Amino acid sequence: MKGKNAILTAACAALILWFTLGVSPARAQVVAIKSQDINEPGFAADLIEAKRSDGVLSVKVRLKNTGTKAAGLKIYDHNKIDAFYVQAEGKKYLVLRDTEKVPLATLSDTYDGKLTATVAPGATFTWWAKYPAPPTNVKTFNFYWPLGAPFDDVPITNN
């Protein structure tokens, strides 16, 4: 019975955290690999995932509103996705695309193909993309994007 009570207590604590703070426990535990300010005032970025699995490198960047008001952030136009790329060992890797040439990345939900996010103060928006993985002997990469300076020497984790 003690094991069931411990599980119930943990579940209740997670629900309280979810409802009072608006943050899921899993999301609260994601630690940034690298952090930096970006070119948009009132926003900062955390690179939170750089994982290699089955020949694919998954990259996630959490954009956070550090200001006091909700703010819109233009991330990219659909046709400009190649401005988000990985560089490792002197080679440039572009976002992977599916069989219909759609980028494997956070997509716009608008007809015009522009990805924008309105982010409340203190809230976040997670952008992600899939890239061809560099060879397994490559342990770091640089991530280039138009929203700010590159994230340099990002360590790759293996799944």
Side-chain angles (χ1 to χ4, degrees):
M1 190 66 165
K2 285 184 180 181
K4 288 183 181 179
N5 286 340
I7 292 170
L8 184 58
T9 301
C12 287
L15 285 173
I16 290 168
L17 181 63
W18 173 269
F19 286 115
T20 58
L21 299 178
V23 176
S24 71
R27 189 170 189 181
Q29 295 174 12
V30 176
V31 176
I33 299 167
K34 300 256 183 181
S35 297
Q36 66 186 35
D37 290 329
I38 65 171
N39 294 334
E40 187 69 31
F43 280 90
D46 296 329
L47 196 143
I48 59 172
E49 183 175 291
K51 187 179 350 179
R52 178 182 8 233
S53 179
D54 297 326
V56 174
L57 177 66
S58 297
V59 174
K60 289 183 185 174
V61 178
R62 180 175 52 216
L63 299 163
K64 52 188 175 174
N65 182 343
T66 60
T68 57
K69 296 185 218 173
L73 178 64
K74 179 182 173 191
I75 300 168
Y76 67 86
D77 290 336
H78 182 70
N79 61 352
K80 306 269 182 173
I81 190 69
D82 288 343
F84 293 76
Y85 64 92
V86 166
Q87 183 273 330
E89 299 282 311
K91 185 172 179 184
K92 184 177 182 178
Y93 298 86
L94 300 177
V95 173
L96 289 169
R97 296 173 188 270
D98 68 14
T99 57
E100 295 174 5
K101 308 241 186 286
V102 176
L104 299 179
T106 304
L107 295 177
S108 169
D109 59 358
T110 63
Y111 72 93
D112 63 2
K114 294 179 180 177
L115 179 61
T116 58
T118 300
V119 185
T124 63
F125 176 85
T126 301
W127 179 87
W128 62 270
K130 305 277 185 182
Y131 296 88
T136 54
N137 66 318
V138 175
K139 304 299 182 204
T140 64
F141 66 91
N142 301 322
F143 177 68
Y144 292 88
W145 62 328
L147 297 178
F151 283 99
D152 291 324
D153 300 317
V154 178
I156 299 172
T157 60
N158 294 306
N159 196 14

